[in-house]
Amino acid sequence: MSDGLRLLVGNELRRRWRALLMVALLAALVTGAVLTCAAGARRAHRAPARYLAAAAEPDAFVLGLPADTGAADLARLPGVRGAATYTLLATQPHGVGASDFFPLFAPDGPGAGRPFFTEPVVHGRRPDPARADEIALGEATARRLHLGVGDRLRLDTWSAAAAARLQDAGDVAPDGPPLSLRVVGILRQATDLGGREGDVAITPLTPAVLERHRGSIGLLDRVALVRLAPGASERFAAGLRDLAPGASVDGSFGASQIEAALRPPSDVVSTGLWALAAAMAVSGLVAVGLALARAAAAAQGDDAALRALAVRRADRIGRIAVPGALFAAGGVVAGAAASVLASPTMPVGQARLADPRHGVVADPFVLAAGAALGAVGVAALAVFAAVQATRSRRPAPVRPSALESRLTGVPPAVTAGLLLARRRGGREVTPARAAAAASVAAVVGVLAAVVFAASSSQLLVQPRLYGWGWDAAITGTETSDLDDGAVDPERVRGDADLAAAALISEGVGLTAGGRPTTGLVVTPLKGDSRLVLLAGRQLASADDALFGSATLRAAGARVGDTVSIGLGESTAPFHVVGEAVFPVRSDGGSSSEGVALSGDGARRLGFAGCGPDDECSDNVALTLRPRASLARVSARYADPGNRVGVRAPAPPAQAERLRQVRLVPWLLAGFLVVVAVLSLGHAVATAVRRRRHELAVLRCLGFTARQLRTVVSTQALALVLGSCTIGVLLGVVAGRAVWALVTGAIDLPPVASIPAVALLGIPLAVLALAQVAAVPPRRAAARLDPAEVLRRD
């Protein structure tokens, strides 16, 4: 830096440090917001894997394990990295309904490998394994039981004889010793993240509980949790059949299923935060550029004098650019530091719950890349503003507009405002295009946020959008209820209020392409009960199968392919005729997981219905006729013994989790609105300053101060009026595209809702904001002294 440039820069720093400090603060605010969102997006993407690593969730859940098979036996099977055996005790929290299921498992022997159930502790601590009176509950379980740390959980128990009758009859009074366990901790379980509030969650007991009450409390089942090597599920299943022929693997439970449930919502959060960071970066650069342009314009007055003194243009550019770049780069560094302090606020939604790391977290990659790009960006903007401020401008020719000949009869103040907004020539060029672009971005952002919010609300209130192709389902509190004749098929066929009905067997343990999954068997009783499709057609023959999107991807197949589907030892090829959205089970699940077969197709595999010892359950899907009352139908099939009821549609967890990311599009929309107001204010203020000669002439021609204010107001309206029309069209397209992206991530139909009131209300709101942004320039125009302006010019 030459001595002359150093002197000029030092002089500018002393004169303009207050204005440059505002530039630095704005750069710090933008940088901090962008880097906070970018780091949060990376954490959201990694949250499911981090949770699974911290919680030690099993890869396979084995049911019906024989008493003579231990964890060591399982550990010797191919691909097994660790195993532990548990016993399901015949217990139930005191006072809960018969239909509520709270499985309590106790370890019944030493495990092989590191322990399971190490979910993050939210409150309190983990129970002492040597104490039989301590327990830790999952968050949702604690809420359902209205318990917290320090409270007592009272349990009813059944003896061994009563437990045997309980599995057969389902209505046996507890006769075992009551238990009272002190809640010492609240855990964040997988069902607290990827499930619904009422989904079944496993509650582990300490080993001391089983040791103390082994003879006095009955045992319902013996299970095993297994940790597998990647790609070892088929080898393990084959080895398990040889080791314990009566055991089975529950394909709806395991680390892969948990990650499949956690991944889509976390990716939605990650994508939303990346989009927010990108939009903030672009809009923030515009805002910082406008601030640097205003600071450069303030220094522009001395440029003519320096030019007359033969100061080189490079030094004149450096005089303006160096102070702005220094302050803006300092703001970028401060913003990067602020993003580290703001890291505890990220990520948001489900990803925040899944991420085991809370508190201050620094992301070196985001900090280094963001600070470097930000510093280069603001330096480039500072140089550009300085170059623009030192240009030698000749008055540009005023290009006549066809608008001028069409304004006959319009008030003079309105005519002048429209012409000043329309003209691109004259003594000075105004930043009208930047203001119009900012207005378009604001309308697009707000309308896209409204479409997202309306569409997510519509998704939760329209069951068809999350897989319920029917209106309700008759179900039982026990899996054997419907098999015992609680619902007469002939009665269903003769019901005049029903347009269609079908027997649905859900939770059938199938394999698709060698991978375990859950099956849905549809046997029509009346009419045509149709599943919700994303692609393809409905089931039409015994060779057809419908796949969920996630299951289809896992099988490496597409619609039209042939996939081998198995049930137990039996397998058969099926033709994939469509991609479906499945209704979730009463105890949870994913609408994109599973395979649907017709009744005839399931019988090809030897399926004979859901029996008392099966994990699947039967229910009857009901499709009502128009104007039929669901309450009347529910009362008609209700069972006095509370064995049968009518279940209303329940949205899958991934649909409910969309509530947690609703804030992201609103944050983006709010940021765009702020930038739009700043851009409009800058454009109108610049127009008043650069068009002061024309405004002074209008004042000399007889315009009053009120008319000059009208000129400025009309100019502000004209700048955004066309932008609103363009923004509405682009906003509808952007909103539909964003919603399609979100629903595609969670494998649901991309049906967007566009509120009609928003199409009119948002442009009106932007026009009102334009008037708010024009308030200071209006006052400046009204106070303009024409004699001073014309004498100076």
Side-chain angles (χ1 to χ4, degrees), residues 78-102:
V80 175
R81 289 181 170 179
T85 55
Y86 287 77
T87 295
L88 174 61
L89 277 70
T91 61
Q92 180 175 275
H94 178 74
V96 303
S99 60
D100 291 327
F101 184 41
F102 293 87

Side-chain angles (χ1 to χ4, degrees), residues 457-769:
S457 298
Q458 173 186 255
L459 173 62
L460 295 176
V461 299
Q462 292 191 11
R464 185 168 186 81
L465 297 180
Y466 53 79
W468 278 73
W470 38 86
D471 299 308
I474 305 174
T475 186
T477 58
E478 300 291 339
T479 58
S480 61
D481 283 346
L482 298 185
D483 294 330
D484 293 340
V487 177
D488 182 6
E490 293 302 324
R491 181 184 179 192
V492 172
R493 293 188 183 98
D495 194 328
D497 286 335
L498 300 180
L503 178 64
I504 306 293
S505 300
E506 58 184 12
V508 181
L510 300 178
T511 59
R515 305 173 68 95
T517 187
T518 56
L520 190 78
V521 179
V522 182
T523 304
L525 298 177
K526 175 183 181 179
D528 187 13
S529 296
R530 305 172 69 84
L531 291 166
V532 178
L533 297 183
L534 292 174
R537 60 173 176 82
Q538 297 285 339
L539 299 172
S541 72
D543 297 328
D544 294 344
L546 294 173
F547 274 61
S549 302
T551 306
L552 194 62
R553 288 193 298 268
R558 296 179 298 177
V559 175
D561 292 347
T562 298
V563 177
S564 177
I565 298 177
L567 175 64
E569 299 292 337
S570 176
T571 60
F574 283 81
H575 185 56
V576 182
V577 298
E579 190 174 339
V581 180
F582 296 126
V584 294
R585 299 180 63 184
S586 58
D587 59 348
S590 171
S591 57
S592 61
E593 294 276 352
V595 174
L597 303 176
S598 65
D600 293 337
R603 282 189 285 274
R604 289 179 58 202
L605 299 174
F607 179 72
C610 297
D613 298 327
D614 295 328
E615 291 300 318
C616 65
S617 59
D618 288 335
N619 56 74
V620 178
L622 306 178
T623 302
L624 274 62
R625 294 188 183 278
R627 291 191 294 273
S629 170
L630 178 59
R632 185 172 63 245
V633 173
S634 300
R636 185 178 303 153
Y637 292 98
D639 180 56
N642 198 29
R643 294 190 306 146
V644 175
V646 176
R647 172 161 55 100
Q654 55 263 52
E656 291 187 337
R657 296 298 179 185
L658 288 178
R659 300 176 188 268
Q660 300 174 349
V661 296
R662 283 185 179 180
L663 185 62
V664 173
W666 286 114
L667 287 175
L668 173 59
F671 194 85
L672 292 174
V673 168
V674 171
V675 173
V677 171
L678 292 175
S679 300
L680 285 170
H682 171 72
V684 178
T686 303
V688 170
R689 184 174 65 251
R690 294 182 178 178
R691 302 291 193 190
R692 60 186 181 276
H693 183 88
E694 288 90 337
L695 294 175
V697 171
L698 291 176
R699 189 64 185 267
C700 291
L701 292 175
F703 273 50
T704 64
R706 181 177 181 180
Q707 285 178 308
L708 288 181
R709 287 195 293 268
T710 303
V711 170
V712 176
S713 297
T714 304
Q715 185 180 5
L717 287 175
L719 287 175
V720 300
L721 192 58
S723 306
C724 288
T725 303
I726 298 173
V728 166
L729 297 177
L730 294 180
V732 171
V733 174
R736 293 174 65 92
V738 169
W739 185 245
L741 178 66
V742 170
T743 52
I746 58 178
D747 300 311
L748 294 178
V751 180
S753 175
I754 304 173
V757 67
L759 300 179
L760 179 63
I762 291 174
L764 292 178
V766 172
L767 293 176
L769 286 175

Side-chain angles (χ1 to χ4, degrees), residues 191-219:
T191 48
D192 300 322
L193 302 173
R196 299 165 300 171
E197 190 67 19
D199 288 348
V200 173
I202 293 176
T203 301
L205 299 170
T206 64
V209 173
L210 187 60
E211 293 175 6
R212 178 176 298 183
H213 303 285
R214 185 180 295 272
S216 57
I217 299 178
L219 310 179

